[in-house]
Amino acid sequence: MRIFDPHIHMSSRTTDDYAAMHAAGVRALVEPAFWLGQPRTNVGSFTDYFDALVGWEPFRASQFGIAHHCTIALNPKEANDPRCVPVLELLPRYLEKDGVVAVGEIGYDSMTEQEDKAFAAQLALAIAHDLPALVHTPHRDKAAGTERSIAVVRESGIAPERVVLDHLNELTVAMAKESGCWLGFSIYPDTKMDEDRMVAILREYGTERVLVNSAADWGRSDPLKTRRTGDAMLAAGFTEDDVDLVLWRNPVEFYGRSGRLSLEGLSPEAEFAGNSILRGARK
Amino acid sequence: MNAWLEKALSDVAADATVLHTVFPAVGRRVGRAVDDAARVRLLAAAPGAAAEMPGLYRHGDAAEKRAVLHGLSVVDTGDAGIELVADALRTNDTRLVAAAMGEYAATHLDAPAYRHGVLKCVFMGIPLAEVAGLDRRTDEELLRMLRDFAAERTAAGREVPADLRTLLNEQDG
Protein backbone atom coordinates (compact mmCIF):
# COMPACT_ATOMS: atom_id res chain seq x y z
CA MET A 1 0.00 0.00 0.00
CA ARG A 2 1.53 3.34 -1.08
CA ILE A 3 0.37 6.25 1.01
CA PHE A 4 0.49 10.03 0.58
CA ASP A 5 -0.54 11.77 3.82
CA PRO A 6 -1.93 15.09 2.57
CA HIS A 7 -1.96 16.74 6.01
CA ILE A 8 0.47 15.98 8.82
CA HIS A 9 2.54 18.26 11.09
CA MET A 10 5.87 16.43 11.09
CA SER A 11 7.72 19.21 12.93
CA SER A 12 5.89 17.91 16.01
CA ARG A 13 6.77 14.26 15.39
CA THR A 14 9.77 12.07 16.10
CA THR A 15 12.12 10.12 13.86
CA ASP A 16 10.44 6.95 15.19
CA ASP A 17 7.25 8.25 13.55
CA TYR A 18 9.04 8.76 10.25
CA ALA A 19 10.39 5.21 10.39
CA ALA A 20 6.99 3.74 11.32
CA MET A 21 5.27 5.74 8.58
CA HIS A 22 7.71 4.51 5.97
CA ALA A 23 7.23 0.92 7.16
CA ALA A 24 3.45 1.40 6.85
CA GLY A 25 3.78 2.58 3.24
CA VAL A 26 3.95 6.39 3.54
CA ARG A 27 6.18 7.73 0.75
CA ALA A 28 5.01 11.33 0.52
CA LEU A 29 3.33 13.92 2.70
CA VAL A 30 2.26 17.54 2.91
CA GLU A 31 2.90 19.53 6.10
CA PRO A 32 0.56 22.52 6.36
CA ALA A 33 1.67 25.57 8.29
CA PHE A 34 -0.44 25.89 11.42
CA TRP A 35 -0.22 27.09 14.99
CA LEU A 36 2.21 25.55 17.43
CA GLY A 37 0.07 25.04 20.52
CA GLN A 38 1.89 27.92 22.16
CA PRO A 39 0.73 31.19 20.56
CA ARG A 40 3.34 33.13 18.59
CA THR A 41 3.97 36.74 19.52
CA ASN A 42 5.91 38.09 16.52
CA VAL A 43 6.48 37.75 12.80
CA GLY A 44 9.99 36.33 13.17
CA SER A 45 8.52 33.31 14.90
CA PHE A 46 6.56 32.59 11.71
CA THR A 47 9.48 33.05 9.33
CA ASP A 48 11.71 30.68 11.32
CA TYR A 49 8.86 28.14 11.20
CA PHE A 50 8.32 28.62 7.46
CA ASP A 51 12.08 28.34 6.87
CA ALA A 52 12.02 24.98 8.66
CA LEU A 53 9.12 23.82 6.46
CA VAL A 54 11.19 24.52 3.32
CA GLY A 55 14.53 23.60 4.87
CA TRP A 56 15.16 21.29 7.79
CA GLU A 57 11.94 19.25 7.77
CA PRO A 58 12.19 18.13 4.10
CA PHE A 59 15.77 17.08 4.84
CA ARG A 60 14.65 15.10 7.88
CA ALA A 61 11.89 13.40 5.85
CA SER A 62 14.32 12.56 3.05
CA GLN A 63 16.44 10.55 5.49
CA PHE A 64 13.51 8.16 5.80
CA GLY A 65 12.66 7.94 2.11
CA ILE A 66 9.62 10.22 2.38
CA ALA A 67 9.01 13.19 0.06
CA HIS A 68 8.06 16.29 2.06
CA HIS A 69 6.11 19.26 0.71
CA CYS A 70 4.35 21.98 2.64
CA THR A 71 1.65 24.61 2.55
CA ILE A 72 2.26 28.13 3.84
CA ALA A 73 -0.21 30.57 5.44
CA LEU A 74 -1.18 32.65 8.44
CA ASN A 75 -3.46 30.21 10.28
CA PRO A 76 -7.02 31.22 11.27
CA LYS A 77 -6.40 31.22 15.02
CA GLU A 78 -3.39 33.56 14.90
CA ALA A 79 -5.05 35.77 12.27
CA ASN A 80 -6.78 37.26 15.31
CA ASP A 81 -3.54 38.53 16.87
CA PRO A 82 -2.44 41.93 15.50
CA ARG A 83 1.18 41.02 16.34
CA CYS A 84 1.01 38.15 13.85
CA VAL A 85 -1.02 39.63 10.98
CA PRO A 86 1.93 41.47 9.32
CA VAL A 87 3.28 38.06 8.30
CA LEU A 88 0.77 38.27 5.45
CA GLU A 89 3.15 40.68 3.72
CA LEU A 90 5.95 38.09 3.78
CA LEU A 91 3.90 35.21 2.39
CA PRO A 92 4.50 35.96 -1.33
CA ARG A 93 8.19 35.19 -0.89
CA TYR A 94 7.42 31.74 0.53
CA LEU A 95 4.63 30.99 -1.93
CA GLU A 96 7.26 30.96 -4.71
CA LYS A 97 9.31 28.15 -3.15
CA ASP A 98 9.58 24.83 -5.00
CA GLY A 99 8.44 22.82 -1.98
CA VAL A 100 5.26 24.85 -1.36
CA VAL A 101 2.27 23.14 -2.98
CA ALA A 102 -0.67 25.15 -1.59
CA VAL A 103 -1.74 28.10 0.53
CA GLY A 104 -2.90 26.77 3.89
CA GLU A 105 -4.18 26.20 6.45
CA ILE A 106 -6.56 29.09 5.98
CA GLY A 107 -10.21 29.42 6.97
CA TYR A 108 -12.05 29.93 10.21
CA ASP A 109 -11.42 29.25 13.88
CA SER A 110 -13.93 31.49 15.69
CA MET A 111 -15.37 33.20 12.60
CA THR A 112 -14.24 36.71 13.49
CA GLU A 113 -13.89 39.72 11.23
CA GLN A 114 -10.08 39.40 11.36
CA GLU A 115 -10.38 35.79 10.19
CA ASP A 116 -12.63 36.95 7.33
CA LYS A 117 -9.94 39.35 6.16
CA ALA A 118 -7.03 36.91 6.39
CA PHE A 119 -9.06 34.16 4.70
CA ALA A 120 -10.04 36.34 1.72
CA ALA A 121 -6.56 37.86 1.39
CA GLN A 122 -4.95 34.44 1.32
CA LEU A 123 -7.39 33.00 -1.24
CA ALA A 124 -6.33 35.95 -3.41
CA LEU A 125 -2.70 34.97 -2.83
CA ALA A 126 -3.48 31.41 -3.93
CA ILE A 127 -4.87 32.75 -7.19
CA ALA A 128 -1.94 35.14 -7.66
CA HIS A 129 0.65 32.39 -7.09
CA ASP A 130 -1.30 29.79 -9.06
CA LEU A 131 -1.54 27.50 -6.02
CA PRO A 132 -4.31 25.32 -4.59
CA ALA A 133 -5.76 26.23 -1.18
CA LEU A 134 -6.12 24.10 1.95
CA VAL A 135 -9.11 25.27 4.00
CA HIS A 136 -9.38 24.25 7.64
CA THR A 137 -13.01 24.01 8.72
CA PRO A 138 -13.58 25.05 12.34
CA HIS A 139 -13.86 22.54 15.17
CA ARG A 140 -16.56 24.55 16.92
CA ASP A 141 -19.76 25.49 15.07
CA LYS A 142 -18.47 23.33 12.23
CA ALA A 143 -21.55 23.18 10.01
CA ALA A 144 -22.09 26.95 9.99
CA GLY A 145 -18.36 27.51 9.61
CA THR A 146 -18.13 25.15 6.65
CA GLU A 147 -21.09 26.80 4.97
CA ARG A 148 -19.51 30.21 5.42
CA SER A 149 -16.13 28.90 4.18
CA ILE A 150 -17.76 27.66 0.99
CA ALA A 151 -19.33 31.09 0.47
CA VAL A 152 -15.96 32.82 0.90
CA VAL A 153 -14.30 30.38 -1.50
CA ARG A 154 -17.03 31.01 -4.07
CA GLU A 155 -16.72 34.78 -3.69
CA SER A 156 -12.92 34.68 -4.10
CA GLY A 157 -13.10 33.40 -7.65
CA ILE A 158 -10.69 30.50 -7.07
CA ALA A 159 -11.78 27.35 -8.92
CA PRO A 160 -13.40 24.95 -6.40
CA GLU A 161 -11.39 22.03 -7.80
CA ARG A 162 -8.28 23.84 -6.54
CA VAL A 163 -9.61 23.94 -2.96
CA VAL A 164 -9.79 21.24 -0.29
CA LEU A 165 -12.17 21.66 2.64
CA ASP A 166 -10.52 19.76 5.48
CA HIS A 167 -11.65 18.16 8.75
CA LEU A 168 -15.08 17.31 7.32
CA ASN A 169 -17.55 15.04 9.08
CA GLU A 170 -20.99 13.48 8.59
CA LEU A 171 -22.69 16.86 8.94
CA THR A 172 -20.53 18.79 6.47
CA VAL A 173 -19.59 16.29 3.75
CA ALA A 174 -22.73 16.78 1.63
CA MET A 175 -22.44 20.57 1.34
CA ALA A 176 -18.72 20.28 0.69
CA LYS A 177 -19.24 17.75 -2.11
CA GLU A 178 -21.96 19.94 -3.59
CA SER A 179 -19.52 22.90 -3.65
CA GLY A 180 -17.16 21.17 -6.09
CA CYS A 181 -14.24 21.44 -3.65
CA TRP A 182 -12.12 18.45 -2.62
CA LEU A 183 -13.16 16.65 0.56
CA GLY A 184 -10.57 16.32 3.32
CA PHE A 185 -10.99 14.02 6.34
CA SER A 186 -8.70 13.92 9.37
CA ILE A 187 -8.69 10.55 11.07
CA TYR A 188 -8.02 10.99 14.79
CA PRO A 189 -7.84 8.53 17.68
CA ASP A 190 -10.97 9.86 19.33
CA THR A 191 -12.28 13.12 17.92
CA LYS A 192 -12.73 14.49 14.41
CA MET A 193 -13.27 11.23 12.52
CA ASP A 194 -12.33 7.59 12.87
CA GLU A 195 -11.55 4.98 10.22
CA ASP A 196 -14.84 3.12 10.47
CA ARG A 197 -16.90 6.30 10.13
CA MET A 198 -14.60 7.18 7.22
CA VAL A 199 -15.41 3.90 5.49
CA ALA A 200 -19.13 4.58 5.92
CA ILE A 201 -18.70 8.02 4.35
CA LEU A 202 -16.75 6.55 1.43
CA ARG A 203 -19.57 4.04 0.90
CA GLU A 204 -22.16 6.79 0.82
CA TYR A 205 -20.29 9.53 -1.04
CA GLY A 206 -17.75 7.62 -3.12
CA THR A 207 -13.98 7.85 -3.41
CA GLU A 208 -13.69 10.71 -5.88
CA ARG A 209 -12.11 13.98 -4.74
CA VAL A 210 -11.59 12.50 -1.25
CA LEU A 211 -8.37 13.10 0.72
CA VAL A 212 -7.74 11.14 3.93
CA ASN A 213 -5.11 12.43 6.35
CA SER A 214 -3.85 11.77 9.86
CA ALA A 215 -3.44 15.48 10.69
CA ALA A 216 -1.02 14.20 13.33
CA ASP A 217 0.55 17.00 15.35
CA TRP A 218 1.54 17.76 18.94
CA GLY A 219 -1.84 16.68 20.26
CA ARG A 220 -3.11 13.16 20.76
CA SER A 221 -2.96 11.82 17.24
CA ASP A 222 -1.63 8.91 15.20
CA PRO A 223 0.55 9.26 12.10
CA LEU A 224 -0.49 5.77 10.96
CA LYS A 225 -4.20 6.58 10.69
CA THR A 226 -3.89 6.75 6.90
CA ARG A 227 -2.75 3.13 6.85
CA ARG A 228 -5.47 2.13 9.33
CA THR A 229 -8.05 3.67 7.03
CA GLY A 230 -6.65 1.77 4.05
CA ASP A 231 -6.86 -1.46 6.05
CA ALA A 232 -10.41 -0.65 7.16
CA MET A 233 -11.40 0.02 3.53
CA LEU A 234 -10.03 -3.36 2.44
CA ALA A 235 -11.77 -5.12 5.32
CA ALA A 236 -15.02 -3.46 4.28
CA GLY A 237 -14.75 -4.74 0.73
CA PHE A 238 -13.14 -1.83 -1.11
CA THR A 239 -10.57 -2.90 -3.70
CA GLU A 240 -6.86 -2.21 -3.60
CA ASP A 241 -7.41 0.18 -6.48
CA ASP A 242 -9.98 2.11 -4.39
CA VAL A 243 -7.45 2.37 -1.59
CA ASP A 244 -4.73 3.51 -3.99
CA LEU A 245 -7.05 6.17 -5.39
CA VAL A 246 -7.90 7.60 -1.96
CA LEU A 247 -4.48 7.27 -0.32
CA TRP A 248 -2.21 8.05 -3.27
CA ARG A 249 -3.67 9.15 -6.61
CA ASN A 250 -6.14 11.67 -5.14
CA PRO A 251 -3.57 13.66 -3.13
CA VAL A 252 -1.12 13.46 -6.04
CA GLU A 253 -3.77 14.91 -8.35
CA PHE A 254 -4.85 17.64 -5.93
CA TYR A 255 -1.42 18.90 -4.87
CA GLY A 256 -0.07 18.17 -8.36
CA ARG A 257 -2.13 21.15 -9.48
CA SER A 258 0.59 23.33 -8.00
CA GLY A 259 2.97 22.08 -10.72
CA ARG A 260 5.56 21.66 -7.95
CA LEU A 261 5.03 18.15 -6.62
CA SER A 262 8.31 16.23 -6.83
CA LEU A 263 7.93 12.50 -6.23
CA GLU A 264 10.79 11.05 -8.24
CA GLY A 265 13.78 9.58 -6.47
CA LEU A 266 12.22 8.83 -3.11
CA SER A 267 15.46 7.41 -1.76
CA PRO A 268 17.35 9.52 0.80
CA GLU A 269 18.46 12.79 -0.78
CA ALA A 270 21.86 12.81 0.82
CA GLU A 271 24.09 10.07 -0.50
CA PHE A 272 26.31 9.99 2.51
CA ALA A 273 26.51 6.93 4.70
CA GLY A 274 26.03 8.81 7.95
CA ASN A 275 24.11 11.93 8.77
CA SER A 276 22.88 14.18 11.49
CA ILE A 277 19.60 12.40 12.13
CA LEU A 278 20.76 8.84 12.25
CA ARG A 279 23.57 10.26 14.34
CA GLY A 280 25.51 7.68 16.21
CA ALA A 281 22.77 5.09 16.09
CA ARG A 282 24.45 2.91 13.52
CA LYS A 283 27.56 0.87 13.85
CA MET B 1 19.23 24.33 -23.13
CA ASN B 2 16.01 24.69 -21.15
CA ALA B 3 14.17 27.69 -22.65
CA TRP B 4 13.14 29.02 -19.26
CA LEU B 5 16.74 28.94 -18.04
CA GLU B 6 17.97 30.60 -21.20
CA LYS B 7 15.60 33.50 -20.70
CA ALA B 8 16.41 33.70 -17.00
CA LEU B 9 20.13 33.87 -17.76
CA SER B 10 19.68 36.82 -20.10
CA ASP B 11 17.28 38.53 -17.68
CA VAL B 12 19.66 38.32 -14.72
CA ALA B 13 22.52 39.47 -16.94
CA ALA B 14 20.55 42.67 -17.55
CA ASP B 15 19.37 43.10 -13.94
CA ALA B 16 20.73 41.12 -10.99
CA THR B 17 17.61 41.79 -8.87
CA VAL B 18 15.68 39.48 -11.22
CA LEU B 19 17.48 36.75 -9.23
CA HIS B 20 14.88 37.30 -6.47
CA THR B 21 12.08 35.99 -8.66
CA VAL B 22 13.85 33.33 -10.73
CA PHE B 23 15.97 31.76 -7.99
CA PRO B 24 13.11 30.06 -6.06
CA ALA B 25 11.54 28.60 -9.24
CA VAL B 26 14.59 26.79 -10.62
CA GLY B 27 13.70 23.35 -9.24
CA ARG B 28 10.29 23.12 -10.89
CA ARG B 29 11.38 24.93 -14.08
CA VAL B 30 14.71 23.29 -14.82
CA GLY B 31 14.57 20.09 -12.75
CA ARG B 32 15.43 19.10 -9.19
CA ALA B 33 18.37 16.98 -10.30
CA VAL B 34 20.23 19.90 -11.88
CA ASP B 35 18.99 22.79 -9.74
CA ASP B 36 22.37 23.47 -8.07
CA ALA B 37 24.18 23.80 -11.39
CA ALA B 38 21.42 25.94 -12.91
CA ARG B 39 21.35 28.32 -9.94
CA VAL B 40 25.13 28.70 -9.94
CA ARG B 41 24.96 29.57 -13.64
CA LEU B 42 22.39 32.24 -12.84
CA LEU B 43 24.67 33.72 -10.17
CA ALA B 44 27.64 33.68 -12.52
CA ALA B 45 25.61 35.36 -15.27
CA ALA B 46 24.43 38.27 -13.10
CA PRO B 47 26.80 41.21 -12.75
CA GLY B 48 26.18 42.41 -9.21
CA ALA B 49 25.23 38.94 -7.97
CA ALA B 50 27.62 39.38 -5.05
CA ALA B 51 25.39 42.05 -3.51
CA GLU B 52 22.31 39.84 -3.86
CA MET B 53 23.76 36.64 -2.46
CA PRO B 54 23.37 37.33 1.28
CA GLY B 55 19.67 38.09 0.73
CA LEU B 56 19.19 35.07 -1.55
CA TYR B 57 20.74 32.92 1.15
CA ARG B 58 18.76 34.44 4.02
CA HIS B 59 15.44 34.11 2.21
CA GLY B 60 16.22 30.87 0.41
CA ASP B 61 14.91 27.39 1.01
CA ALA B 62 17.50 24.65 1.57
CA ALA B 63 18.18 24.22 -2.17
CA GLU B 64 18.62 27.97 -2.74
CA LYS B 65 20.95 28.25 0.26
CA ARG B 66 23.00 25.36 -1.07
CA ALA B 67 23.33 27.02 -4.48
CA VAL B 68 24.46 30.30 -2.94
CA LEU B 69 27.12 28.40 -0.99
CA HIS B 70 28.34 26.76 -4.20
CA GLY B 71 28.21 30.17 -5.88
CA LEU B 72 30.65 31.64 -3.36
CA SER B 73 33.41 29.78 -5.16
CA VAL B 74 32.36 31.28 -8.52
CA VAL B 75 31.28 34.84 -7.69
CA ASP B 76 33.70 37.15 -5.88
CA THR B 77 31.96 38.25 -2.69
CA GLY B 78 35.10 39.23 -0.79
CA ASP B 79 34.61 38.46 2.88
CA ALA B 80 30.82 38.82 2.72
CA GLY B 81 30.34 35.10 2.24
CA ILE B 82 32.06 34.11 5.48
CA GLU B 83 28.97 34.61 7.60
CA LEU B 84 26.90 32.56 5.14
CA VAL B 85 29.39 29.71 5.43
CA ALA B 86 29.32 30.06 9.22
CA ASP B 87 25.52 29.90 9.22
CA ALA B 88 25.52 26.76 7.07
CA LEU B 89 28.11 25.11 9.30
CA ARG B 90 25.77 25.60 12.27
CA THR B 91 23.02 23.54 10.58
CA ASN B 92 22.55 19.79 10.73
CA ASP B 93 21.71 19.45 7.03
CA THR B 94 24.55 17.44 5.47
CA ARG B 95 23.91 18.97 2.04
CA LEU B 96 24.35 22.49 3.41
CA VAL B 97 27.41 21.60 5.44
CA ALA B 98 29.05 19.90 2.46
CA ALA B 99 28.25 22.86 0.19
CA ALA B 100 29.72 25.24 2.77
CA MET B 101 33.11 23.53 2.73
CA GLY B 102 33.91 24.39 -0.89
CA GLU B 103 36.78 26.40 -2.37
CA TYR B 104 35.52 29.64 -0.82
CA ALA B 105 35.74 28.18 2.69
CA ALA B 106 39.19 26.79 1.96
CA THR B 107 40.36 30.27 0.98
CA HIS B 108 38.49 32.44 3.49
CA LEU B 109 37.91 30.57 6.77
CA ASP B 110 40.43 31.15 9.54
CA ALA B 111 42.22 28.09 10.89
CA PRO B 112 39.86 27.29 13.82
CA ALA B 113 36.74 27.63 11.66
CA TYR B 114 38.22 25.57 8.84
CA ARG B 115 39.31 22.79 11.22
CA HIS B 116 35.88 22.59 12.83
CA GLY B 117 34.27 22.58 9.40
CA VAL B 118 36.35 19.57 8.38
CA LEU B 119 35.69 17.80 11.68
CA LYS B 120 31.97 18.40 11.37
CA CYS B 121 32.01 16.87 7.87
CA VAL B 122 33.79 13.77 9.18
CA PHE B 123 31.40 13.58 12.13
CA MET B 124 28.35 13.78 9.84
CA GLY B 125 29.66 11.21 7.38
CA ILE B 126 30.28 13.68 4.57
CA PRO B 127 33.05 12.28 2.33
CA LEU B 128 36.33 14.18 2.64
CA ALA B 129 36.42 14.33 -1.17
CA GLU B 130 33.69 16.99 -0.84
CA VAL B 131 35.92 19.22 1.30
CA ALA B 132 38.08 21.74 -0.56
CA GLY B 133 41.64 22.70 0.38
CA LEU B 134 42.61 19.75 2.59
CA ASP B 135 45.96 19.42 0.81
CA ARG B 136 47.04 22.91 1.78
CA ARG B 137 45.04 23.63 4.93
CA THR B 138 45.59 20.47 6.95
CA ASP B 139 47.75 21.38 9.94
CA GLU B 140 48.94 19.60 13.08
CA GLU B 141 45.99 20.79 15.15
CA LEU B 142 43.47 19.49 12.61
CA LEU B 143 45.29 16.15 12.51
CA ARG B 144 45.15 15.96 16.30
CA MET B 145 41.41 16.62 16.24
CA LEU B 146 40.88 13.96 13.56
CA ARG B 147 43.03 11.41 15.43
CA ASP B 148 41.04 12.08 18.60
CA PHE B 149 37.81 11.63 16.67
CA ALA B 150 39.06 8.31 15.27
CA ALA B 151 40.11 7.18 18.76
CA GLU B 152 36.68 8.06 20.15
CA ARG B 153 34.95 6.09 17.41
CA THR B 154 37.24 3.12 17.95
CA ALA B 155 36.69 3.19 21.71
CA ALA B 156 32.94 3.09 21.09
CA GLY B 157 33.32 0.07 18.84
CA ARG B 158 32.21 2.11 15.86
CA GLU B 159 33.77 2.38 12.46
CA VAL B 160 36.25 5.07 11.47
CA PRO B 161 35.33 6.35 8.00
CA ALA B 162 37.60 4.79 5.36
CA ASP B 163 38.59 8.12 3.83
CA LEU B 164 39.63 9.43 7.24
CA ARG B 165 41.71 6.30 7.90
CA THR B 166 43.42 6.82 4.57
CA LEU B 167 44.16 10.46 5.34
CA LEU B 168 45.55 9.68 8.79
CA ASN B 169 47.65 6.79 7.43
CA GLU B 170 49.14 9.05 4.79
CA GLN B 171 50.03 11.66 7.39
CA ASP B 172 51.38 9.19 9.89
CA GLY B 173 53.00 6.83 7.39
Side-chain angles (χ1 to χ4, degrees):
Chain A
M1 194 182 294
R2 56 177 180 172
I3 298 170
F4 185 133
D5 193 333
H7 181 153
I8 182 166
H9 301 282
M10 291 311 297
S11 304
S12 308
R13 312 297 309 190
T14 65
T15 49
D16 281 359
D17 288 334
Y18 269 124
M21 288 164 65
H22 187 272
V26 178
R27 293 294 179 273
L29 59 85
V30 167
E31 174 159 10
F34 201 50
W35 77 301
L36 292 176
Q38 174 70 33
R40 297 181 179 88
T41 59
N42 64 85
V43 169
S45 181
F46 280 91
T47 54
D48 285 346
Y49 174 61
F50 295 159
D51 286 342
L53 293 184
V54 298
W56 175 239
E57 203 56 43
F59 177 75
R60 228 162 67 95
S62 76
Q63 303 306 299
F64 296 88
I66 295 177
H68 180 290
H69 297 82
C70 70
T71 77
I72 294 285
L74 168 62
N75 63 77
K77 196 182 291 266
E78 289 174 316
N80 291 300
D81 187 332
R83 294 172 300 181
C84 298
V85 174
V87 77
L88 287 173
E89 292 157 35
L90 299 180
L91 293 183
R93 181 200 298 157
Y94 288 97
L95 298 180
E96 284 301 309
K97 300 302 183 195
D98 278 329
V100 177
V101 292
V103 174
E105 301 179 48
I106 53 177
Y108 287 117
D109 179 55
S110 303
M111 289 192 275
T112 64
E113 211 173 297
Q114 293 95 318
E115 292 171 26
D116 274 329
K117 278 188 199 155
F119 190 5
Q122 294 184 99
L123 284 170
L125 283 175
I127 294 171
H129 292 267
D130 204 18
L131 285 170
L134 166 58
V135 175
H136 159 103
T137 60
H139 303 307
R140 305 174 304 279
D141 202 8
K142 184 178 280 291
T146 303
E147 200 172 1
R148 189 154 148 192
S149 299
I150 292 168
V152 173
V153 165
R154 196 167 289 143
E155 202 171 304
S156 76
I158 192 171
E161 63 268 22
R162 293 177 69 81
V163 175
V164 57
L165 299 169
D166 211 352
H167 316 314
L168 297 177
N169 62 21
E170 290 84 353
L171 297 181
T172 56
V173 56
M175 67 173 104
K177 190 175 169 82
E178 167 70 26
S179 74
C181 295
W182 286 66
L183 316 175
F185 296 90
S186 301
I187 315 302
Y188 259 67
D190 53 10
T191 52
K192 292 170 190 165
M193 174 62 55
D194 67 34
E195 48 267 47
D196 295 323
R197 287 162 60 199
M198 187 67 233
V199 165
I201 286 175
L202 287 166
R203 276 212 181 104
E204 186 171 352
Y205 293 91
T207 51
E208 272 180 38
R209 296 203 330 261
V210 170
L211 303 181
V212 171
N213 61 70
S214 73
D217 58 12
W218 31 254
R220 184 156 180 257
S221 50
D222 178 356
L224 302 184
K225 279 295 183 187
T226 47
R227 174 63 197 239
R228 304 277 175 263
T229 301
D231 292 340
M233 284 177 70
L234 291 174
F238 282 97
T239 66
E240 286 190 9
D241 189 67
D242 293 330
V243 174
D244 191 65
L245 178 69
V246 171
L247 293 184
W248 185 266
R249 301 199 307 274
N250 279 350
V252 168
E253 183 183 344
F254 178 72
Y255 284 117
R257 292 177 179 193
S258 67
R260 305 185 197 177
L261 210 52
S262 173
L263 300 174
E264 68 271 13
L266 287 176
S267 56
E269 283 180 36
E271 294 169 355
F272 318 128
N275 63 69
S276 53
I277 291 168
L278 307 173
R279 86 173 78 93
R282 297 187 298 191
K283 293 199 174 181
Chain B
M1 196 207 308
N2 177 292
W4 181 89
L5 180 58
E6 205 164 340
K7 176 165 189 320
L9 284 167
S10 76
D11 289 350
V12 301
D15 177 4
T17 63
V18 174
L19 283 167
H20 302 178
T21 49
V22 298
F23 223 57
V26 167
R28 59 187 179 272
R29 296 291 194 168
V30 186
R32 257 85 162 184
V34 292
D35 58 346
D36 281 7
R39 286 196 174 97
V40 172
R41 285 191 62 183
L42 287 166
L43 293 174
E52 304 300 331
M53 283 163 71
L56 289 171
Y57 181 90
R58 167 63 192 92
H59 300 307
D61 61 18
E64 293 171 82
K65 283 183 161 69
R66 197 170 67 227
V68 171
L69 294 167
H70 286 308
L72 291 174
S73 300
V74 177
V75 176
D76 183 5
T77 56
D79 290 340
I82 293 176
E83 64 180 87
L84 307 187
V85 170
D87 179 90
L89 289 176
R90 285 192 294 270
T91 72
N92 268 352
D93 183 330
T94 47
R95 295 165 307 165
L96 287 176
V97 172
M101 290 303 286
E103 192 50 46
Y104 180 86
T107 314
H108 287 81
L109 290 187
D110 62 21
Y114 183 80
R115 290 182 200 122
H116 273 279
V118 175
L119 185 61
K120 182 154 183 173
C121 286
V122 172
F123 184 83
M124 298 178 90
I126 296 167
L128 284 172
E130 308 235 345
V131 178
L134 278 175
D135 50 340
R136 60 184 198 276
R137 299 233 32 198
T138 302
D139 57 13
E140 274 312 309
E141 178 62 3
L142 175 57
L143 287 170
R144 180 201 61 76
M145 291 161 74
L146 293 173
R147 282 192 204 98
D148 284 359
F149 167 84
E152 194 182 332
R153 277 281 165 101
T154 306
R158 298 173 59 196
E159 206 162 317
V160 176
D163 55 357
L164 176 59
R165 259 187 283 122
T166 306
L167 182 141
L168 292 177
N169 287 341
E170 279 168 8
Q171 292 292 332
D172 299 340

